[in-house]
Amino acid sequence: MNRREFLNMTAKFLAATATFGMLPDFAEAARKDKKKKSKDTDKTPEFEMPTLENLIKFDDLSIGKINLEFTDDMDVRESTGAIVIHHAGLSKDVDIDVPSIHDMHLGNGWAGIGYHFVIHKDGFIEQARPLKYVGAHAYQHNKFTVGICMTGNYNLAYPPFEQAVAVEQLTAALCKKYKIKPKKTTILGHRDLNATSCPGDKFYPFLPQLIKNVKEVL
């Protein structure tokens, strides 16, 4: 057999393997590699903190207000040096209205709802406890902090995009209002101050990015 005949025979053999699958192990490995590459390319993060385009000042934010009755006189907060972020943390990842939280906190023997703001899953912000008063949201750290609560349970899920944007906008506006420098000691999760999982295992790791995003618009 000369060299040309050998090459022709080899070419026919390779064509046959491509047509009739005579090399299944190689073909299967190639398919798996292609599938893995496709999966890696298509994979997107489950959640990312959205970036803020610009600062919205506190007075320009759209904040809903409800007339809530508190049981006693509350102390006026003399200084504001930090913001504490919470989640509602109910047994299911659901929205909850401000009056319902207010009633639960009254049941704790408090003057009323302990958070200053509640942010709903659709991004709507509501005033809760009047901003000028000392809150009841972070034991032994209420006298100098503002409390923000996101509805939902972020041990179970990630917050919706609209809610994540709203918590950043409100935090940035409060930092501007009270001249707070955004850092890990001034923008905190509830768990940074008390023994709790709040604001949730899925959301808490994103607080550094939230702080960074707030800093960039101030």
Side-chain angles (χ1 to χ4, degrees):
M1 180 185 296
N2 60 35
R3 185 171 182 275
R4 177 173 291 182
E5 289 173 337
F6 175 77
L7 291 175
N8 286 338
M9 184 178 71
T10 302
K12 290 178 180 179
F13 174 77
L14 292 174
T17 60
T19 304
F20 299 108
M22 293 178 67
L23 298 174
D25 292 340
F26 292 106
E28 181 64 21
R31 282 196 295 271
K32 287 182 178 179
D33 185 58
K34 183 177 180 181
K35 186 176 181 181
K36 181 178 182 299
K37 287 181 179 178
S38 176
K39 185 177 180 181
D40 291 343
T41 302
D42 295 341
K43 188 174 181 181
T44 56
E46 292 182 89
F47 175 77
E48 291 181 334
M49 284 302 298
T51 56
L52 288 176
E53 297 298 325
N54 51 54
L55 173 68
I56 300 176
K57 292 183 179 179
F58 182 78
D59 291 339
D60 294 330
L61 286 173
S62 178
I63 299 176
K65 295 183 179 180
I66 301 174
N67 292 323
L68 300 173
E69 293 187 8
F70 292 82
T71 60
D72 56 25
D73 293 334
M74 294 173 286
D75 294 330
V76 173
R77 193 174 59 260
E78 295 181 1
S79 65
T80 304
I83 297 162
V84 184
I85 298 175
H86 305 255
H87 72 159
L90 301 179
S91 60
K92 294 182 179 180
D93 178 38
V94 294
D95 215 327
I96 182 172
D97 59 59
V98 170
S100 294
I101 301 175
H102 183 63
D103 289 342
M104 286 192 294
H105 288 188
L106 285 170
N108 292 339
W110 304 347
I113 189 167
Y115 312 115
H116 295 96
F117 299 95
V118 171
I119 302 178
H120 295 276
K121 284 180 169 290
D122 63 359
F124 181 57
I125 304 170
E126 285 192 277
Q127 182 82 54
R129 183 171 292 219
L131 185 55
K132 69 178 182 178
Y133 293 121
V134 173
H137 59 92
Y139 180 63
Q140 293 187 334
H141 299 276
N142 290 309
K143 290 186 177 181
F144 63 93
T145 61
V146 171
I148 299 173
C149 178
M150 298 185 296
T151 62
N153 185 329
Y154 298 125
N155 283 317
L156 303 177
Y158 295 101
F161 175 86
E162 295 81 3
Q163 190 177 37
V165 170
V167 73
E168 287 185 318
Q169 287 178 333
L170 178 57
T171 300
L174 289 169
C175 284
K176 181 71 173 179
K177 178 179 177 66
Y178 291 109
K179 296 179 173 60
I180 297 171
K181 293 183 178 180
K183 52 187 177 179
K184 64 181 181 180
T185 55
T186 59
I187 299 175
L188 309 111
H190 187 189
R191 67 170 65 181
D192 292 320
L193 302 174
N194 300 128
T196 174
S197 66
C198 181
D201 291 340
K202 288 185 177 292
F203 177 74
Y204 181 75
F206 292 93
L207 275 184
Q209 186 62 48
L210 184 153
I211 294 168
K212 180 176 181 292
N213 292 349
V214 167
K215 187 183 297 184
E216 287 177 352
V217 298
L218 291 178

